[in-house]
Amino acid sequence: MNAKNLVESTLNPDHAAVNEICAAGEPWVGEIRKEQTFRIVDLEGNQAVDTLFYNAHDAAERYSAADTLSRQYQLYLTTGSKLYSSLGNVMLVITADTCGRHDTVGGACAAESNTTRYALDKYPMHSCRDNFLHAIAHDPVCERLGMSKRDIPANINFFMNVPVTEAGKLEFADGVSAPGKYVEMRAEMDVVVLISNCPQLNNPCNAYNPTPVRLLIWD
């Protein structure tokens, strides 16, 4: 993490057009118009916010981890990072970040990964993939776009720390966030954001305690 990446925003939450709380372990869907600014606030610290972005007019164009990493030669996201789509277009640009490092490779927890990482009896536990599936099946924005489980690609894990070792393995390490830290991004196209406020109860990085986050949008 580089101190130069830590950039505070000048935007006032009192002037936000949208200011909502996403409860611990729950999904959230929102629409962000081009040139609007979107902020995610880690209210209590080290809460992973699994996030996907889609073109608001065609969900076939969506956030691409591969394009985002390869075009910028960066493994982690922070101030200045561009979020690229599957068609090579810039969807959003991170304009402020008080955490300084966000994961792009750890993926979303699922029934299968919970059994692989933790124990077989963890299979029924609620997961981020469950949240994504529930939102896609029930949210009217997702319904309008005709989304299905095929539309769940690799996601961003805002506020999550997943170092890559020299051997090429992933470590789900202690978080580098803290209460009140936030990341802010400007939309370069009309986008739909799909969030799972991670319900994971088996990972020590969140002290085994999922917590709420605040979501704001400015015109």
Side-chain angles (χ1 to χ4, degrees):
M1 186 170 61
N2 193 322
K4 72 178 183 180
N5 298 330
L6 301 178
V7 175
E8 294 191 13
S9 172
T10 59
L11 294 176
N12 186 338
D14 292 338
H15 301 155
V18 174
N19 187 342
E20 299 182 4
I21 297 290
C22 180
E26 294 297 315
W28 187 87
V29 177
E31 294 187 81
I32 310 165
R33 295 192 303 274
K34 183 178 180 180
E35 298 185 355
Q36 285 188 319
T37 296
F38 176 54
R39 181 190 293 181
I40 307 173
V41 185
D42 186 5
L43 290 174
E44 298 185 32
N46 294 329
Q47 172 60 30
V49 184
D50 294 44
T51 307
L52 293 166
F53 294 102
Y54 301 86
N55 182 321
H57 308 288
D58 181 6
E61 181 177 15
R62 73 284 302 271
Y63 166 76
S64 168
D67 285 88
T68 297
L69 298 182
S70 63
R71 285 171 177 264
Q72 298 171 102
Y73 301 100
Q74 292 180 331
L75 188 59
Y76 307 107
L77 302 177
T78 186
T79 307
S81 295
K82 297 177 181 179
L83 309 185
Y84 282 89
S85 78
S86 52
L87 298 182
N89 298 313
V90 178
M91 304 187 79
L92 305 102
V93 177
I94 296 179
T95 52
D97 182 13
T98 61
C99 175
R101 176 160 154 159
H102 306 274
D103 169 61
T104 59
V105 295
C109 60
E112 294 77 11
S113 64
N114 281 340
T115 61
T116 300
R117 290 177 187 164
Y118 306 112
L120 290 176
D121 62 4
K122 306 298 184 182
Y123 186 87
M125 295 186 74
H126 192 54
S127 69
C128 284
R129 184 165 176 83
D130 291 338
N131 274 342
F132 289 151
L133 289 170
H134 185 274
I136 282 174
H138 298 283
D139 188 89
V141 174
C142 297
E143 184 178 3
R144 170 174 60 80
L145 290 171
M147 294 170 64
S148 72
K149 63 183 179 181
R150 290 185 177 185
D151 296 302
I152 304 177
N155 61 284
I156 301 168
N157 291 312
F158 286 112
F159 308 112
M160 194 167 179
N161 185 25
V162 185
V164 178
T165 69
E166 291 185 1
K169 296 184 178 181
L170 303 181
E171 291 184 352
F172 291 83
D174 288 342
V176 294
S177 187
K181 298 287 187 181
Y182 60 82
V183 60
E184 196 170 279
M185 58 212 83
R186 182 185 66 247
E188 300 297 305
M189 64 170 69
D190 295 341
V191 298
V192 167
V193 55
L194 171 54
I195 281 175
S196 169
N197 192 21
C198 185
Q200 184 59 258
L201 295 171
N202 302 291
N203 194 322
C205 69
N206 67 354
Y208 309 103
N209 179 40
T211 52
V213 296
R214 185 177 296 277
L215 305 163
L216 303 99
I217 301 174
W218 286 265
D219 290 327

